[in-house]
Amino acid sequence: MTTVETAVGQAKTMVLNMGPQHPSTHGVLRILLELDGETVVKAVPDCGYLHTGIEKSCEDKTYSQAITLTDRMDYLNPLGNNLVYCMAVEKLLNLEVPKRAQYIRVMMVELQRISSHLVWLGTHAIDLGAMTVFLYCFREREEILKIFEMFAGQRMMTSYIRIGGVALQPPAGWRQAIERFLKYMPSRVDEYETLLTENRIWMGRTKNIGVISSEDAIALSMTGPTIRAAGVAYDNRKLFPYSSYDEFEFDVPTRTDSDCFGRYMIRVAEMRESLKIVRQALDKITDEGAIKADAPGIVPPQREKMKTEMEALIYHFKIFTEGFSPPAGEAFVTVESPRGELGCFIASDGSPKPLRVHFRSPSFINLQALPKLVEGQLISDVIACIGTIDIVLGEVDR
Amino acid sequence: MSSAEQLRAWDKNAVAEVVEYRGETTIVVPRELLRATAARCRDEASMQFNLLTDATCLDRHPYEPRFEVVYQLVCISRREKLRLKVRLSGKDPVIDSLVPVWPGANWLEREIFDLFGIHFNGHPDLRRIVLPDDWEGYPLRRDYPVEGYRDIPVMPLGFVKTSI
């Protein structure tokens, strides 16, 4: 810790090093705070502690091998990452995904959104001193992870969404499991709200904290709940519908207060909207039907066919050794992740490995607005602001 | 009138090439005109590309011009996307920063500087962002090995490093 003499007057400011090992930085984020008493004069975020070079690794893998890497970027939203990557590859290949697979994708991604918001709500509340909410949120998240385990055999790094569709047929009893979840979840969301929304301490810690205007939010490229709390109805599901989102009825909640409390209310409202989408998806998904596109050479053949048909065996061998080669070109696809606009830019040079894979990660870009949110506020509000941006450091550093 | 035509009407040199692929429009802009073109895209009432969502770079080594810096723009009110691209030679990878136009370009350009070694003129804070300050080389360039330049541990006997 060092102290620095400021140029103006006799006031002394202190530089405080917050993180990288600080529980409320949600991972390994380091922030250099210049403090005047308890007031933040300047904040400089420092990231990169979790840089794993995922984009570089993708260039060394075939298109289908890289799916497992995308799971590990935003570890609270692995299915969303799979989706954006697979959609970018499908766009390069000009591949149409069967409707049933699109609905399954929507349902899984919306469940993922609820689970991600639950982790956010729990950890954000614990940062601000409300222990109980954390336990309740993780109780419900556990139920969602159990559903994922049913579908994919994995709780978190599912890699369930694949190029051309999804990995497996929905398991026996999936409909009942989701029905059960949909039955009790709305009342649980009400429960969180009774604990927090009108809680005097919660309001004191979040209202009028970290305010940003809509012009600044757009100029700083912010997306997601942060920009919607500033009054801009920017949601990729509505503006640029993908994966049949245009067939679902849901609202995009917006507010105008643009403070930490507003962002909290937006996320709670989004959980309710996601439940609505899951309900509609449940009705749309038929019991029978294709879950993968009919594209030999790109989508691996069924196990049974591979064992009995010569052609299928050859395709199987080709896909898992050489891979497939999309035509040379570029594609940029964006989806709405729980944190904002998640994008994937893929450039192909016509070989079985991508020339460049780039992820537009919402956490990374939203994080650069942190100094704007916290400068002039108290040091305790820094924690509230980091919380409401909702960063996942795995995605910031990639 | 499409965005490319509007830009051409404004300055006939602003559009070097227009690529349409899978429903996405890419406008290749000469390096000298990037900042003016970007400001035009944002401010012109009929375009209004007010949100810069992404900026990245790709390396076509060993071909020249080697680097392509890519900016993804969105017009929220008209639901339209546009991609601006600038081609840069490997010998002189310098480009004007877009931070004066969109403050949000700050970290995006720092990331490109960090991983590709492209220099941005007029950037307020051009430092490495994900790698340590003393890192040598630019890892996302195609001539940088995936394993890096550090010592690779010797494989135990019987293991052979393979690649497909």
Side-chain angles (χ1 to χ4, degrees), chain B residues 30-162:
Chain B
R31 178 167 77 165
E32 299 72 32
L33 285 169
L34 173 70
R35 196 182 285 169
T37 312
R40 180 83 185 172
C41 286
R42 186 197 59 181
D43 297 331
E44 174 63 32
S46 55
M47 292 203 270
Q48 290 178 23
F49 287 100
N50 47 357
L51 181 71
L52 171 79
T53 46
D54 195 15
T56 188
C57 180
L58 59 101
D59 181 3
R60 293 202 184 268
H61 179 76
Y63 302 104
E64 278 289 335
R66 179 173 168 182
F67 296 111
E68 293 181 353
V69 182
V70 177
Y71 291 91
Q72 317 275 0
L73 316 182
V74 174
C75 168
I76 299 178
S77 53
R78 282 187 299 115
R79 304 183 175 196
E80 201 178 311
K81 291 185 185 183
L82 181 69
R83 186 184 300 145
L84 295 183
K85 184 188 267 187
V86 179
R87 298 207 171 103
L88 295 177
S89 124
K91 294 184 196 78
D92 180 29
V94 183
I95 187 175
D96 281 340
S97 165
L98 286 192
V99 179
V101 186
W102 286 287
N106 190 328
W107 280 27
L108 292 164
E109 292 183 341
R110 272 179 73 188
E111 194 190 12
I112 299 173
F113 165 72
D114 190 356
L115 301 172
F116 284 95
I118 310 267
H119 283 262
F120 291 90
N121 279 334
H123 191 289
D125 183 26
L126 200 61
R127 290 180 291 128
R128 284 194 181 267
I129 187 160
V130 287
L131 295 174
D133 291 335
D134 57 352
W135 193 271
E136 284 174 23
Y138 302 104
L140 277 181
R141 289 189 174 188
R142 294 290 282 186
D143 49 2
Y144 192 100
V146 180
E147 297 89 354
Y149 286 119
R150 294 179 175 189
D151 290 341
I152 303 162
V154 181
M155 295 278 177
L157 212 66
F159 284 86
V160 183
K161 198 173 177 300
T162 55

Side-chain angles (χ1 to χ4, degrees), chain A residues 91-92 221 334 341 356 368, chain B residues 22 24 52-53 57 81 104:
Chain A
K91 195 169 191 180
L92 275 179
S221 307
T334 52
E341 179 174 282
R356 172 93 171 102
Q368 70 173 328
Chain B
R22 303 270 191 257
E24 296 177 7
L52 171 79
T53 46
C57 180
K81 291 185 185 183

